Amino acid sequence: MTVEEMAKPEVTRLLGEAAEWRLLGLLFEYPSASWRTQLTALLPDLRDESLIGMANSSLEFASEGLHIALFGPAGSVPLREVTYQAGVQYGYLMAELAAYYGAFGYSPSAEEAADHLAVELGFVAYLKLKQALAVAASDSGPAQVTADAAAAFIKDHLAVLAEPVARALESFAPAYLVQAGRLILQRTG
């Protein structure tokens, strides 16, 4: 078996993970027309029926009003990491996130802050995609660096948000978002 043949299942797995992380990020973004286009375009890349169900439910039920009520400035479910980072100064957190994003060439949209759950989930999706590309190119050094960065970012940032957000979603959100919160919590430990 060649290196290329051995790498193919790994590339496929990583691309699937990237699509799943991207879906989770999209579920917490503002539901605009471009959001619907992105979510619809992502559907064919999802393999898990529960994820497909979450995506379809989101397309059916997500609205601007629901998003603002849940995640807006006075919403029931804060999605900013700074809300949950005890003892960390806002400027330090934002500088750390900017360093992570800059090191890997990630440019989040200006619509949300760098510490927003959707942006952070999108970053993990981006890292999984970069890792898949490195594996496909048989470039093990960058693949390992990217894998390590994703694991550290999940532990240091997403895990901080996962439990309190999932708990708040249980009380206030529709079923597809509750399911998404549980999945994020499961994946972040």
Side-chain angles (χ1 to χ4, degrees):
M1 184 179 276
T2 68
V3 172
E4 292 81 18
E5 290 169 332
M6 290 187 307
K8 182 128 174 97
E10 178 72 0
V11 170
T12 301
R13 180 187 66 77
L14 288 165
L15 290 174
E17 287 181 23
E20 292 171 6
W21 284 104
R22 180 65 182 128
L23 168 67
L24 292 170
L26 281 169
L27 293 176
F28 294 96
E29 287 184 14
Y30 187 80
S32 64
S34 68
W35 170 87
R36 290 188 182 286
T37 302
Q38 291 176 50
L39 190 52
T40 302
L42 185 62
L43 272 168
D45 296 323
L46 301 173
R47 301 290 173 246
D48 183 284
E49 289 300 320
S50 66
L51 294 171
I52 294 168
M54 280 188 265
N56 284 324
S57 292
S58 181
L59 286 168
E60 183 177 351
F61 298 112
S63 69
E64 294 85 353
L66 175 64
H67 185 85
I68 291 168
L70 287 174
F71 310 128
S76 306
V77 185
L79 295 180
R80 301 273 311 270
E81 182 182 350
V82 71
T83 307
Y84 307 106
Q85 274 285 19
V88 173
Q89 293 183 354
Y90 176 74
Y92 175 81
L93 173 63
M94 299 309 274
E96 182 178 347
L97 292 171
Y100 256 115
Y101 299 161
F104 290 93
Y106 180 65
S107 298
S109 74
E111 294 175 22
E112 297 294 352
D115 69 328
H116 191 278
L117 178 62
V119 173
E120 292 187 4
L121 290 165
F123 179 59
V124 174
Y126 179 79
L127 289 176
K128 294 294 181 179
L129 181 60
K130 284 187 76 81
Q131 185 182 357
L133 291 171
V135 170
S138 300
D139 204 348
S140 62
Q144 189 60 53
V145 167
T146 307
D148 292 346
F153 188 84
I154 289 168
K155 177 182 171 271
D156 295 341
H157 295 282
L158 282 174
V160 171
L161 290 148
E163 186 177 354
V165 168
R167 191 173 38 245
L169 289 169
E170 295 273 349
S171 300
F172 299 106
Y176 72 92
L177 287 173
V178 171
Q179 188 179 6
R182 289 177 185 157
L183 185 57
I184 294 166
L185 182 58
Q186 176 188 4
R187 289 185 177 196
T188 61

